[in-house]
Amino acid sequence: MKKILLAVILSTSLFKASADEGMWLPMLLGEQVYNDMVKRGLKLTKEQLYSINKSSIKDAILIFGGGCTGEIVSDQGLIFTNHHCGYAAIANASTVEHNYLADGFYAYNKGQEIKSELTVQFLDRIVDVTKDVEDGVKGLSWDDRVKKLQDVYKTITDKVLDKENGLSGRIYSMFKGNQYIMYVYKTYRDIRLVGAPPESVGKFGGDTDNWEWPRHTGDFSIFRVYATKDGKPADYSQDNVPLKPKHFLPVSIKGIKDGDYAMIYGYPGGTNRYETSYGIKLKNEIENPSLVNLRDMRLKYMHEQMIKSPAVKLKLANNYATVANYWKFFDGETKQLIKFHTQEQKAAYEQQFEAWAKGKPEYENIMADYAKNYATWTPYSKMRQYINEGVTGSPLIAFATSLRALDDKLQKTNTPAAELKKAIEAASAGRKAFLESEDLPSDEKILAAVAMMYYNDIDKNQHPIGYYESMKGSFGSLKEEATFKSWAKNVFEKTMLLDDAKWNAFTATPTAADLEADPAFGFANAFVGNYLSKYASLYAAFVNKNNELGRAYMKGIMEMKPAEVKKMYPDANFSMRVSFGNVKSYNPRDAVHYDYVCTSKGILEKYVPGDYEFDLPTKQIELLKKRDFGQYIDKAKNDLVVTFITTNDITGGNSGSPVIDANGNLIGLAFDGNYEALSHKIAFDKDLNRTICVDVRYVLWCIDKLGGATNIINELKLAR
């Protein structure tokens, strides 16, 4: 009874932002929350936060690569972002002889900066295009609306497309399709690596400390954006020059204290704060546990090989980091959602909604339709996770799956020769890329484990017909682990995908029969094909219906509580947002207090020579023991502050985001959240939510004292 009563109390304002909660659209800050920001300590004007006609903070913020945030910190286009955001570029620039990932790298002049394949995107302007979109789909059924929406988007974005100047538009659906906003971006294509600490600094603490506070990770990397001499985007060229930005962030070495104002600009990737109780139930009971178990297995086998060889570690580093990051997240998310009774809170709110919707034809059946939709899909949900996170979690099988398109062309008798030749060349190029990152021992173990887990965990009616029966006939009892190991060994020994001679013979005279006879392709084709032919359409229908219901539910919520609409924000969707809060310590549980900063003292306490996660460069240990902190010392702590925490509302995509003080100065880089609030994609916890940030003074100390790159320090505008 007490749990139900609590849920009812909390649900009364479930969708109204609480203190510190909110990922706000930058052009609406003045209307929605500017006064609140000032009350919390902000000293800047509305125009300084976001302006169309003048330079403002938004002009210093950029999309870094495909999924992170970065910020401009000098008048020469210098970019700060996280180490894990620049990780792939650093790894790609590394060799065993020049291992910048392991040893770190700094360019002591611009001629030493290293070319990358990265792009960055600056926000030019934001336009509300809701009327244009709705006019384009007016009068259509939901299914027809969905089919036409992309064409309508293209018609609108084509009007701002300017390839010569790198301009393009991207339309974001806000509030589950009740509003549409176009962000116009300028994309730059010549991005160069300027600096990065050794991996032992940039990933200090590894998986053990991931999503945890206290934290001592130097999670930063440095890049520079180049343009033509007249400031236009261009491909890499030695003739290009550093970009002269519209705005850059001064860097503060004044220090912070508990309670200081902090705001974060960035590109949060995705939240689902308006999720239903049905969605949370599915996530808690099936989706997250399945994902965690499968990733745990993959990480185990990769790690076994990575600790044996620096070359293998370098080869698998990026894939391992990607898999590991959200493995721990989804495990923690489920625990927090259960602990805080989020499903019950959502259910209580839905009961309120149903009571309000009674007698309103547009809304009264929404919850019943949600229940039916989830009941229809749930029996197949685990199988889909096992395909995505298990079957194609094997790099070999992921590549083999990519050959299904080639198989389709080979099966057709009328495929033009030129088209088939192009497909073969693409397959060979894909194979080359796959082999460059393939580690055979770990992948073979992953494949054996996946096949066994699928057999044991997935409804037998959802197995590909005859596959396991054939395995049993050739390799033995399906109750024995040895059977699956023998089968996987056979796949790796006989597949032409790992044999140059066999592959070259196949590509010289390719046939569908030869491809389908390959054991790696046969497994991929059986399992992925089984899903695509029988279940993919069910999932598509499930998602489509959920989207239709979500739009109607969101519209109903806004009608039910119109007074709260002004303090509502749309879910994160990788569009620029601003959050504000304070530097703040917290009490995660009884008798435990966490300070708002971590210092070099904690680094020395955690340091374990030679350890995979807690080793550090000898030079760094010597400097810290000597307390050689220079101008970066925190006078209040009499130590070098490494990281700090704030109450800001962020999520994935905010990695690398600038943490900005009340005067618009950079004080840190956001890089993580805390374990106690990993339910934040679904529900923000106003008491426990913390953003973990690397202190910019530690960044500068690493560049200056550890890296000796005073040229980079001299380029910055320091606020002292």
Side-chain angles (χ1 to χ4, degrees):
M1 177 62 77
K2 288 182 179 179
K3 289 181 181 179
I4 296 173
L5 179 60
L6 174 63
V8 171
I9 292 170
L10 290 173
S11 71
T12 57
S13 59
L14 199 59
F15 296 127
K16 180 182 178 183
S18 60
D20 303 311
E21 178 183 355
M23 301 177 184
W24 307 99
L25 297 171
M27 80 289 196
L28 295 179
L29 290 173
E31 296 177 29
Q32 287 188 299
V33 293
Y34 177 75
N35 290 338
D36 295 330
M37 296 170 83
V38 171
K39 289 176 184 177
R40 300 296 287 275
L42 178 67
K43 305 297 183 185
L44 303 176
T45 66
K46 297 175 185 178
E47 282 276 294
Q48 288 174 300
L49 298 178
Y50 176 85
S51 176
I52 298 175
N53 302 314
K54 298 179 181 179
S55 166
S56 62
I57 288 178
K58 69 95 173 167
D59 296 312
I61 316 304
L62 52 89
I63 295 175
F64 184 85
C68 280
T69 302
E71 52 274 0
I72 299 292
V73 293
S74 83
D75 61 1
Q76 299 177 56
L78 197 69
I79 300 169
F80 279 1
T81 189
N82 284 156
H83 184 268
H84 72 264
C85 293
Y87 198 83
I90 301 165
N92 289 339
S94 299
T95 62
V96 174
E97 294 77 23
H98 299 285
N99 195 335
Y100 301 133
L101 196 62
D103 303 329
F105 166 80
Y106 291 101
Y108 299 108
N109 58 64
K110 293 183 177 66
Q112 294 179 350
E113 295 172 3
I114 299 173
K115 174 186 176 183
S116 79
E117 299 302 317
L118 290 162
T119 63
V120 301
Q121 300 171 60
F122 289 89
L123 177 60
D124 184 72
R125 61 189 183 276
I126 301 174
V127 184
D128 190 324
V129 294
T130 304
K131 184 178 185 304
D132 302 271
V133 172
E134 293 297 347
D135 285 349
V137 295
K138 191 174 183 179
L140 297 180
S141 67
W142 177 259
D143 288 341
D144 289 339
R145 176 190 177 96
V146 171
K147 291 174 185 176
K148 191 175 180 182
L149 209 50
Q150 291 304 317
D151 290 336
V152 174
Y153 284 0
K154 187 175 185 302
T155 298
I156 297 169
T157 57
D158 278 351
K159 294 175 183 178
V160 300
L161 183 63
D162 181 352
K163 292 183 179 180
E164 182 181 352
N165 291 297
L167 290 171
S168 61
R170 191 174 312 146
I171 295 175
Y172 296 90
S173 168
M174 306 289 185
F175 295 110
K176 296 190 178 291
N178 284 282
Q179 183 183 27
Y180 296 92
I181 294 180
M182 178 171 66
Y183 281 48
V184 180
Y185 295 106
K186 178 174 281 193
T187 302
Y188 288 85
R189 306 186 298 277
D190 186 354
I191 312 301
R192 305 181 195 180
L193 174 64
V194 176
E199 184 180 22
S200 55
V201 175
K203 289 191 67 180
F204 184 74
D207 296 328
T208 299
D209 276 4
N210 194 22
W211 303 105
E212 301 286 353
W213 183 260
R215 192 72 170 275
H216 300 82
T217 310
D219 199 346
F220 75 92
S221 58
I222 313 165
F223 292 80
R224 193 185 306 278
V225 55
Y226 281 76
T228 62
K229 291 177 181 178
D230 57 357
K232 291 184 178 180
D235 292 331
Y236 173 86
S237 170
Q238 291 185 349
D239 294 329
N240 290 344
V241 298
L243 178 71
K244 295 294 182 184
K246 290 182 180 179
H247 186 82
F248 69 90
L249 299 178
V251 178
S252 174
I253 58 172
K254 293 179 182 179
I256 55 173
K257 60 182 184 298
D258 208 354
D260 278 358
Y261 177 85
M263 63 182 172
I264 293 177
Y265 279 67
Y267 286 85
T271 56
N272 200 3
R273 301 271 170 88
Y274 305 101
E275 177 64 289
T276 64
S277 61
Y278 302 102
I280 295 171
K281 178 179 172 64
L282 182 65
K283 177 181 282 288
N284 285 348
E285 295 180 0
I286 297 176
E287 291 180 344
N288 282 5
S290 299
L291 181 149
V292 168
N293 289 340
L294 289 162
R295 288 198 176 196
D296 188 49
M297 174 273 295
R298 290 160 61 192
L299 290 169
K300 171 188 172 183
Y301 292 129
M302 282 192 280
H303 185 263
E304 282 180 0
Q305 299 307 126
M306 290 170 72
I307 60 176
K308 295 178 181 179
S309 161
V312 174
K313 181 182 178 184
L314 186 61
K315 182 189 291 187
L316 292 178
N318 194 49
N319 186 31
Y320 184 90
T322 301
V323 174
N325 191 32
Y326 273 88
W327 158 75
K328 190 170 184 178
F329 172 87
F330 285 114
D331 180 55
E333 180 185 55
T334 295
K335 289 175 181 175
Q336 304 309 323
L337 288 172
I338 293 171
K339 178 179 178 181
F340 296 112
H341 310 293
T342 307
Q343 181 183 335
E344 292 89 341
Q345 292 176 35
K346 295 283 188 179
Y349 188 89
E350 289 156 13
Q351 289 176 4
Q352 288 184 38
F353 181 84
E354 284 189 289
W356 170 84
K358 193 172 183 179
K360 299 179 178 69
E362 187 176 0
Y363 304 116
E364 63 182 349
N365 295 318
I366 287 176
M367 287 304 146
D369 288 344
Y370 263 125
K372 292 176 187 175
N373 199 37
Y374 275 90
T376 300
W377 169 250
T378 295
Y380 312 107
S381 177
K382 179 183 282 190
M383 182 265 294
R384 180 176 179 273
Q385 289 289 75
Y386 271 60
I387 292 293
N388 290 338
E389 292 287 341
V391 172
T392 58
S394 158
L396 173 64
I397 302 308
F399 170 63
T401 300
S402 74
L403 299 177
R404 281 174 52 83
L406 173 61
D407 184 52
D408 183 60
K409 293 182 187 301
L410 289 171
Q411 288 185 44
K412 295 176 180 176
T413 56
N414 60 345
T415 301
E419 185 178 326
L420 184 59
K421 181 175 181 291
K422 187 176 180 181
I424 291 290
E425 290 173 350
S428 293
R431 177 177 179 267
K432 182 175 183 292
F434 152 67
L435 290 175
E436 287 174 354
S437 60
E438 170 69 341
D439 176 64
L440 297 175
S442 61
D443 198 2
E444 184 178 318
K445 291 178 180 178
I446 288 170
L447 181 59
V450 163
M452 186 170 74
M453 291 171 75
Y454 195 106
Y455 177 76
N456 290 327
D457 299 347
I458 301 302
D459 186 331
K460 301 296 186 287
N461 293 318
Q462 296 171 23
H463 290 185
I465 296 173
Y467 195 90
Y468 282 112
E469 290 76 7
S470 176
M471 184 189 293
K472 181 179 179 181
S474 299
F475 297 96
S477 170
L478 298 176
K479 295 180 180 179
E480 302 296 329
E481 185 180 10
T483 297
F484 294 92
K485 288 182 175 180
S486 297
W487 164 81
K489 186 174 187 293
N490 180 72
V491 170
F492 273 73
E493 286 177 348
K494 294 186 176 179
T495 178
M496 67 179 172
L497 307 187
L498 298 173
D499 187 311
D500 289 343
K502 290 180 180 179
W503 177 260
N504 292 335
F506 165 71
T507 56
T509 55
T511 67
D514 285 343
L515 181 57
E516 290 166 10
D518 184 85
F521 182 80
F523 177 77
N525 205 30
F527 282 76
V528 176
N530 179 59
Y531 172 76
L532 292 175
S533 63
K534 296 180 180 178
Y535 307 105
S537 61
L538 299 179
Y539 180 70
F542 166 72
V543 171
N544 186 52
K545 187 63 178 178
N546 251 18
N547 290 341
E548 181 182 7
L549 293 170
R551 183 170 184 264
Y553 183 37
M554 191 78 246
K555 184 182 177 185
I557 289 170
M558 291 173 163
E559 286 187 22
M560 183 173 74
K561 300 200 173 184
E564 294 184 3
V565 172
K566 289 184 179 180
K567 282 297 179 79
M568 290 175 67
Y569 58 91
D571 270 318
N573 53 12
F574 207 55
S575 58
M576 185 188 284
R577 304 296 179 89
V578 181
S579 68
F580 64 97
N582 296 90
V583 176
K584 195 173 182 179
S585 53
Y586 73 112
N587 303 312
R589 52 192 176 274
D590 186 43
V592 177
H593 175 76
Y594 283 158
D595 202 4
Y596 65 100
V597 295
C598 292
T599 66
S600 72
K601 178 184 177 183
I603 291 180
L604 294 174
E605 290 171 348
K606 287 183 176 180
Y607 168 59
V608 180
D611 186 79
Y612 192 77
E613 296 180 314
F614 293 98
D615 194 12
L616 280 171
T618 302
K619 182 180 178 181
Q620 177 163 359
I621 297 303
E622 291 173 351
L623 289 169
L624 293 180
K625 286 182 176 179
K626 291 178 182 177
R627 295 178 55 80
D628 185 2
F629 304 143
Q631 64 180 332
Y632 313 112
I633 189 171
D634 186 281
K635 294 178 181 178
K637 295 291 183 181
N638 193 32
D639 204 339
L640 178 65
V641 170
V642 177
T643 55
F644 63 92
I645 47 175
T646 73
T647 60
N648 292 83
D649 190 1
I650 69 163
T651 191
N654 273 120
S655 290
S657 286
V659 189
I660 302 170
D661 69 14
N663 296 301
N665 300 313
L666 182 70
I667 56 175
L669 281 64
F671 71 92
D672 211 354
N674 60 321
Y675 194 81
E676 295 87 359
L678 285 185
S679 58
H680 68 260
K681 284 185 177 290
I682 304 294
F684 180 89
D685 189 303
K686 65 182 179 62
D687 298 314
L688 293 177
N689 185 83
R690 292 296 182 272
T691 291
I692 302 175
C693 318
V694 58
D695 193 297
V696 77
R697 292 170 295 174
Y698 182 55
V699 172
L700 301 188
W701 182 86
C702 288
I703 296 168
D704 185 353
K705 297 289 185 175
L706 189 59
T710 55
N711 55 303
I712 296 174
I713 303 298
N714 294 336
E715 188 177 324
L716 307 173
K717 180 181 178 181
L718 298 182
R720 302 176 186 274

